[in-house]
Amino acid sequence: MTPFTKQVIEIIQIIPKSKVMTYGQIARLAGSPRAARQVVRVLHSMSKKYNLPWHRVVNAKGEIAIKDDESYHEQLMSLEYEGIEVGIHGKVDLSKYQWLP
DNA sequence: TGGATGACCTTAA
DNA sequence: ATTAAGGCCATCC
């Protein structure tokens, strides 16, 4: 496991309830400003094994960036359940819900 | 225009 | 079969 991956995982686990983070933000916090994709990768394939609250991660625009419908809805529900208002495109108000460490 | 951004796809232990 | 790392470019303001 690379230190970066570890960082990403930890950061994600730290996101408080009713808050979200963006890919780029996480990548930066993990030390690699250009690794947004890596973050995606980690989220996509390691979320189950590490019990990550992946539903609290959205893209830079504050939207749910998932393709798979199942997962998309799963995230949508999770977010709303936590009290986050989600718009019609799965969009949330970043200025309100983005977590700033 | 150009810079930021990305929920993938392939390869390796 | 399972699990992690790496990558490089199309897309969208």
Side-chain angles (χ1 to χ4, degrees):
Chain A
M1 196 109 99
T2 195
F4 173 78
T5 304
K6 222 195 212 173
Q7 277 281 59
V8 173
I9 292 177
E10 287 179 13
I11 292 174
I12 295 177
Q13 291 177 325
I14 284 179
I15 304 177
K17 205 177 175 188
S18 299
K19 291 289 177 195
V20 298
M21 274 186 100
T22 69
Y23 295 92
Q25 188 184 4
I26 294 175
R28 249 188 314 246
L29 256 48
S32 299
R34 305 289 122 96
R37 275 177 118 172
Q38 289 276 40
V39 177
V40 169
R41 205 222 78 212
V42 171
L43 233 51
H44 186 100
S45 47
M46 304 163 96
S47 51
K48 292 87 185 172
K49 290 88 185 174
Y50 289 84
N51 292 79
L52 300 182
W54 55 272
H55 55 267
R56 308 214 179 116
V57 183
V58 295
N59 67 21
K61 308 176 199 73
E63 303 172 325
I64 293 176
I66 255 191
K67 282 186 175 180
D68 182 56
D69 293 337
E70 282 294 318
S71 305
Y72 180 91
H73 289 131
E74 195 180 334
Q75 174 166 22
L76 185 63
M77 285 173 69
S78 301
L79 291 177
E80 292 186 325
Y81 180 77
E82 295 186 352
I84 297 179
E85 298 174 34
V86 183
I88 179 122
H89 273 333
K91 195 176 197 170
V92 308
D93 190 339
L94 279 182
S95 61
K96 246 184 182 176
Y97 302 111
Q98 182 172 201
W99 180 55
L100 315 164

